[in-house]
Amino acid sequence: MLVEVGAELYKSYCASCHGVVARGGGPAAPALITPPTDLTRIAAQNGGVFPESSVVKAIDGRFDLPAHGSREMPVWGIALAEEIPYFAAGDEVARGRIASLVEYLKSLQEP
Ligand code: HEC
């Protein structure tokens, strides 16, 4: 299932900063200037609606505007494709991985 794939990816790539239970404060968090977001409260902070497409964009990172300032989170749209040698295929893999991560994050939302 997509959610389970997302959970595995989350442990490998995200927990270091966002924490095992996704509330922020992972082991790498103290080294950052911006505290990693509490990912269980994304819907709660958006009037109870999980803003799927903006979460996809935030994770991907390739479409961030310079106005958003310096980004401490890796650009996952590139990082999750890195080991795939053929660019177009890498892009597809990164999209699929981001989609499963978003499904996982959706399942973690708390009121
Ligand atoms: C190196 C630390 C680090 C890692 C690893 C990391 N993040 Fe983040 N993340 C951050 C920080 C810091 C922020 C706060 C915004 C910023 O400064 O970029 C953030 C913000 C976010 C946001 C909220 C963006 C918004 O403004 O709504 C989402 C969603 C997110 N991260 C998802 C993920 C996912 C999924 C992964 C794993 C693929 C991940 N992060 C891995 C540091 C990290």
Side-chain angles (χ1 to χ4, degrees), residues 3-78:
V3 181
E4 286 151 13
V5 174
E8 283 305 311
L9 290 170
Y10 181 86
K11 270 188 244 160
S12 311
Y13 296 107
C14 320
S16 57
C17 288
H18 290 281
V20 179
V21 291
R23 291 180 203 274
L32 302 173
I33 296 164
T34 317
T37 314
D38 177 345
L39 299 177
T40 67
R41 307 274 306 159
I42 297 172
Q45 281 166 358
N46 189 53
V49 180
F50 187 78
E52 194 166 314
S53 68
S54 63
V55 174
V56 168
K57 287 196 189 100
I59 297 171
D60 187 305
R62 285 176 292 173
F63 315 108
D64 265 0
L65 301 171
H68 289 173
S70 66
R71 175 181 163 109
E72 287 192 86
M73 179 155 82
V75 176
W76 293 111
I78 294 170

